[in-house]
Amino acid sequence: MNTTNYPWGHEKPYNDFSSFFKTLFKERVQKISIDAGFTCPNRNGDKAKGGCTYCNNDTFTPFYTSPIKSVAEQLQEGITFFSKKYKTQQYLAYFQAYSNTYADIKTLKKLYQEALNVPGVIGLVISTRPDCIDEQKLDYLEELAKKYFILLEFGAESCCNKTLKRINRAHTFEDTISALQMAKNRGLHLGLHLLMGLPGESDESMLACAEKISSLPFHTLKMHQLQIVRKTKMEQQYAQTPEMFNLFTPERYINFMVNFLERLRPDMIIERFISESPPDMLIAPKWGGMKNYAIVNKIERQLIERNSHQGKRYRIK
Ligand code: SF4
């Protein structure tokens, strides 16, 4: 296929998020992470106790977030920080820590509205579990989406229920499907998150997942390789039974990711391939300081060398 014929309209061999964002907003838009003090039904005993076996929220919480500070204070501090770094005028409040729809509707309205009242904030990114959403919450988000950009992001993590059970997610892949069905056609931008290389998964089972998610109604996909970090259940499992894990090397991950992209629906926007936990938190795999952008460049190069692109092997079922 000639690159100019890619359905996403630019020359990258995949439908990347930053190009999509540039077409959506006229200027640079910065996400600002917030810890709004939510918890998670997988930690407080509502669904399970102890949380997902890989989870340590400290690995993705920037320094300016703290539930002790109000949502508005956290956003103001984030804006002050980023406005010195970039000439950014517009921001999205990123409700990132824990499960950000896990509260009653009154609490959600108060927190979301507080964020939207901060000057410069033009929308919300809300990260949550697929079993923490209902029609009432979605009706409210649908109302907000008439005025603001609202990205609702569900952690699916795997398409395999056996895996979800093994990592103590306490929800099923069917929960992900019904959350997306409930949330579609409401003017919301819908996102999905997947973790690659969970124990018990093979490359074949993960590639089959690319085909399964391609039939689901969402827009943006975030992925990253499994990383074992400190203060998690997985840290203990890895110490006791390392053979339970088949962690990716950079080379295997790049090759796998190219195969995965080839099976994805072409209009799915790819927001992220990898993540880098802070070095003092990361136990394994250690990729020798290889930076995210270097991996992304290699994925891109391999697609081009194969004369391939996102969706090349995608088949409508
Ligand atoms: S990964 Fe999400 S759902 Fe799992 S324990 Fe952590 S915050 Fe809760």
Side-chain angles (χ1 to χ4, degrees):
M1 187 190 278
N2 184 316
T3 55
T4 53
N5 292 334
Y6 289 149
W8 42 89
H10 57 75
E11 62 183 21
K12 274 189 198 271
Y14 65 95
N15 191 357
D16 81 306
F17 188 74
S18 61
S19 304
F20 159 75
F21 236 44
K22 279 179 201 149
T23 60
L24 202 61
F25 302 107
K26 296 290 164 257
E27 55 181 296
R28 191 175 191 286
V29 174
Q30 178 67 49
K31 280 199 277 187
I32 298 184
S33 291
I34 305 168
D35 184 341
F38 288 100
T39 175
C40 154
N42 218 4
R43 289 176 168 263
N44 68 4
D46 230 12
K47 293 295 295 265
K49 277 200 170 153
C52 306
T53 54
Y54 57 85
C55 174
N56 175 343
N57 262 248
D58 291 346
T59 53
F60 52 77
T61 309
F63 71 88
Y64 51 80
T65 66
S66 158
I68 302 162
K69 295 178 196 162
S70 72
V71 163
E73 278 173 323
Q74 292 179 60
L75 282 168
Q76 286 299 356
E77 285 183 32
I79 288 172
T80 306
F81 174 76
F82 284 111
S83 60
K84 281 184 205 145
K85 224 171 155 190
Y86 308 108
K87 283 189 182 144
T88 307
Q89 305 281 319
Q90 296 193 311
Y91 302 90
L92 297 172
Y94 185 12
F95 286 81
Q96 184 182 18
Y98 299 102
S99 303
N100 293 277
T101 55
Y102 183 50
D104 58 75
I105 187 73
K106 205 170 144 213
T107 308
L108 294 182
K109 282 184 180 179
K110 183 185 160 292
L111 293 168
Y112 297 161
Q113 207 51 65
E114 185 181 339
L116 291 167
N117 287 343
V118 173
V121 173
I122 57 162
L124 308 176
V125 180
I126 302 165
S127 168
T128 194
R129 291 167 53 92
D131 56 354
C132 288
I133 200 77
D134 57 40
E135 297 280 356
Q136 191 191 28
K137 291 170 187 173
L138 288 167
D139 288 347
Y140 173 59
L141 292 177
E142 186 175 351
E143 272 312 299
L144 288 182
K146 289 178 185 157
K147 259 179 92 183
Y148 304 100
F149 176 78
I150 309 290
L151 197 166
L152 181 62
E153 190 173 276
F154 293 111
E157 313 314 347
S158 170
C159 298
C160 171
N161 285 337
K162 222 167 139 185
T163 305
L164 292 170
K165 196 160 182 204
R166 190 177 285 124
I167 60 170
N168 196 37
R169 270 300 287 184
H171 70 70
T172 61
F173 183 56
E174 288 70 29
D175 289 328
T176 299
I177 298 173
S178 44
L180 290 171
Q181 292 296 349
M182 225 193 307
K184 71 177 183 186
N185 301 334
R186 290 174 178 268
L188 305 171
H189 190 94
L190 298 176
L192 206 70
H193 186 270
L194 284 181
L195 249 171
M196 299 301 180
L198 287 165
E201 300 247 3
S202 62
D203 286 12
E204 290 68 35
S205 68
M206 291 182 279
L207 292 176
C209 185
E211 289 168 11
K212 282 185 197 165
I213 62 167
S214 287
S215 66
L216 297 180
F218 72 96
H219 307 94
T220 299
L221 180 63
K222 267 183 177 174
M223 303 165 274
H224 66 81
Q225 80 284 15
L226 177 66
Q227 297 173 95
I228 298 174
V229 297
R230 297 196 195 287
K231 297 191 204 157
T232 60
K233 174 83 181 156
M234 257 188 199
E235 178 182 14
Q236 295 164 21
Q237 292 172 332
Y238 186 62
Q240 285 157 9
T241 46
E243 64 279 7
M244 188 178 154
F245 296 87
N246 183 14
L247 298 172
F248 278 108
T249 60
E251 295 70 29
R252 194 179 132 234
Y253 193 66
I254 290 160
N255 190 50
F256 165 77
M257 199 37 75
V258 169
N259 291 333
F260 194 87
L261 283 169
E262 287 179 337
R263 286 160 176 81
L264 289 181
R265 200 180 67 214
D267 68 352
M268 198 185 287
I269 301 149
I270 311 300
E271 183 169 357
R272 195 174 70 194
F273 295 108
I274 40 179
S275 133
E276 219 180 341
S277 291
D280 57 329
M281 299 294 291
L282 180 66
I283 294 170
K286 298 208 168 160
W287 286 1
M290 209 168 188
K291 293 288 170 206
N292 288 359
Y293 70 86
I295 305 271
V296 174
N297 285 346
K298 285 183 186 228
I299 292 171
E300 218 175 300
R301 208 173 319 137
Q302 201 176 119
L303 277 166
I304 293 166
E305 280 164 13
R306 276 194 201 181
N307 193 22
S308 190
H309 54 84
Q310 178 182 340
K312 180 146 188 184
R313 290 167 193 256
Y314 167 68
R315 302 283 170 268
I316 300 172
K317 298 220 167 132

